[in-house]
Amino acid sequence: MAILFVQFLHPGSEHISSKQGTIYPWNKGNHKRKFIVTSGYYVKSLKEQSPTSAEELYFWGEWEPTSKIIDVYKNGSNILPHCSHSPFLQVQKSGNVVCQGINTDPFVFNNHFLYGLCRQMKYKSLRTLDSSSIILFGSNKKSSFVVDTVFVVKKGEMNYLNKEPIDSNNCCQTSMYPPYYGAIMGKYKMPDSSKLTMYEGVNFYEREQYQEMFSYVPCKLGCKNSGFARVEITNEELNSKISSKIKNKTDYKLINDNLNQGIRNTPLNNPSLAQIVWESVTEIILSKGYYLGFCLDYKIKNSVGIQIFNKSNNCGCKPSNHNKSC
């Protein structure tokens, strides 16, 4: 096991629709990003102790199941979004969700972020990440690395498919999985000899145990009329920020600005160095006008369209009742 900083490149193309109010089908093709709007919680700075709730948090992320097109933007481009998606799952009369397409990984909704599949069969290092490792999920857009998810590893469950099988039809949360997570993982046939590791991300309420680090998505509010680009982070600005915080200045090569696919691993000697790196990444994101979002919702609706599950109504995450169990 090792504490690593991982620059993780995944496909950056956008799921696009020009029809406001329509249902966008479950993706059966290649992975893409969605510009997502949902309810959740956020902080504007690292000094905030109590997050703020919002009914409409906007962020870039992966959600391959069905979604409703909420906003359509006139100025969409290769950088700016063309539309926003509200994520949801449709439950049949039987109480089951039938998976119709590919998986969502990383999963940034509910109480904890989860990551347990993508690129792990190709890169063994992704199966042996230690607690306090940092995964910077992002894409290459016009020769720049743009970030959509900052994932801090809390713990990993190796060979998890044999220890706690994922039940796609179970609407109740188990020790690790949120409602219908098996369906959300998509139509993917796991290898019989799979040694994949399911990672749970550190959430905001656990940060004191992890050098104040936690998992989040860069997000903003009030984007009905226009969206925003993913946040760009260069190796030069990250290295400069880290160097300003340590006595023994070192030329860290944490980010390859021109990497188009795959991963880049950098060993971090201890949790304290990981904290400096995480804080540097986070300060750059905040300085560019983004907030830090977490405890994000996805809706589960029955056959007549009535919402039957919403995380914020079930986990105790309320402005007047924040607790570490969330």
Side-chain angles (χ1 to χ4, degrees):
M1 304 290 281
I3 299 177
L4 297 179
F5 177 89
V6 182
Q7 180 192 9
F8 192 118
L9 274 290
H10 52 198
S13 298
E14 179 191 0
H15 285 294
I16 297 175
S17 175
S18 60
K19 298 180 180 179
Q20 187 174 18
T22 60
I23 302 302
Y24 196 91
W26 201 312
N27 182 24
K28 297 180 180 179
N30 297 324
H31 284 291
K32 295 182 180 181
R33 304 303 110 197
K34 285 181 178 178
F35 187 62
I36 299 170
V37 54
T38 189
S39 56
Y41 290 80
Y42 68 94
V43 292
K44 294 182 178 181
S45 76
L46 293 179
K47 296 180 180 180
E48 291 185 40
Q49 300 298 310
S50 298
T52 302
S53 64
E55 289 301 312
E56 294 181 343
L57 272 181
Y58 290 79
F59 63 97
W60 287 91
E62 184 168 311
W63 176 265
E64 299 296 11
T66 49
S67 54
K68 183 177 181 180
I69 303 301
I70 302 300
D71 312 308
V72 175
Y73 305 120
K74 295 181 179 179
N75 297 321
S77 66
N78 187 43
I79 302 298
L80 296 174
H82 291 76
C83 59
S84 65
H85 298 249
S86 174
F88 76 94
L89 293 173
Q90 190 75 48
V91 179
Q92 299 178 321
K93 290 183 179 180
S94 63
N96 298 335
V97 169
V98 177
C99 172
Q100 301 170 354
I102 62 175
N103 63 79
T104 292
D105 193 48
F107 176 84
V108 301
F109 302 85
N110 207 251
N111 304 343
H112 289 91
F113 289 12
L114 295 174
Y115 161 60
L117 172 60
C118 189
R119 306 279 171 85
Q120 287 194 23
M121 294 304 296
K122 184 175 182 179
Y123 299 104
K124 184 178 179 180
S125 62
L126 293 177
R127 293 176 254 156
T128 57
L129 297 175
D130 209 347
S131 171
S132 295
S133 291
I134 302 166
I135 310 175
L136 212 58
F137 288 98
S139 308
N140 186 293
K141 300 295 288 183
K142 291 190 174 181
S143 299
S144 297
F145 180 59
V146 293
V147 178
D148 56 68
T149 304
V150 179
F151 190 108
V152 180
V153 173
K154 175 184 176 182
K155 62 180 180 180
E157 185 70 42
M158 300 183 72
N159 201 15
Y160 66 91
L161 292 171
N162 293 330
K163 294 180 180 179
E164 189 177 356
I166 300 174
D167 181 1
S168 63
N169 296 325
N170 181 7
C171 66
C172 300
Q173 289 175 290
T174 66
S175 60
M176 183 173 285
Y177 310 124
Y180 295 106
Y181 184 65
I184 295 168
M185 283 292 277
K187 288 184 176 179
Y188 183 90
K189 185 178 181 181
M190 300 292 188
D192 293 336
S193 60
S194 174
K195 300 295 182 182
L196 302 174
T197 299
M198 176 63 72
Y199 294 103
E200 190 174 72
V202 177
N203 72 24
F204 180 83
Y205 304 93
E206 299 163 332
R207 67 194 187 284
E208 292 181 1
Q209 306 168 49
Y210 295 89
Q211 306 283 323
E212 298 299 320
M213 298 186 294
F214 59 92
S215 304
Y216 63 86
V217 296
C219 64
K220 292 187 180 183
L221 306 175
C223 297
K224 277 191 169 296
N225 297 320
S226 63
F228 56 85
R230 281 156 278 191
V231 57
E232 177 185 347
I233 298 182
T234 68
N235 185 71
E236 181 179 3
E237 63 184 334
L238 180 55
N239 189 59
S240 176
K241 179 71 72 171
I242 294 171
S243 296
S244 69
K245 296 177 180 293
I246 58 178
K247 295 180 179 179
N248 299 319
K249 295 186 178 181
T250 304
D251 185 17
Y252 288 98
K253 184 67 175 178
L254 297 173
I255 291 176
N256 182 336
D257 299 327
N258 298 312
L259 189 65
N260 288 309
Q261 59 183 354
I263 66 170
R264 179 184 179 86
N265 292 330
T266 304
L268 301 177
N269 297 329
N270 53 62
S272 295
L273 179 56
Q275 192 277 333
I276 291 173
V277 172
W278 178 89
E279 186 178 81
S280 298
V281 168
T282 304
E283 287 178 354
I284 290 172
I285 290 173
L286 289 168
S287 71
K288 296 184 177 183
Y290 298 81
Y291 302 153
L292 316 180
F294 44 86
C295 279
L296 305 162
D297 277 341
Y298 61 102
K299 298 177 176 64
I300 297 177
K301 300 179 180 180
N302 64 16
S303 57
V304 295
I306 298 175
Q307 185 172 311
I308 60 174
F309 172 81
N310 178 284
K311 178 271 309 160
S312 293
N313 295 330
N314 287 273
C315 78
C317 250
K318 298 178 181 178
S320 61
N321 186 30
H322 281 221
N323 59 62
K324 293 183 179 181
S325 66
C326 178

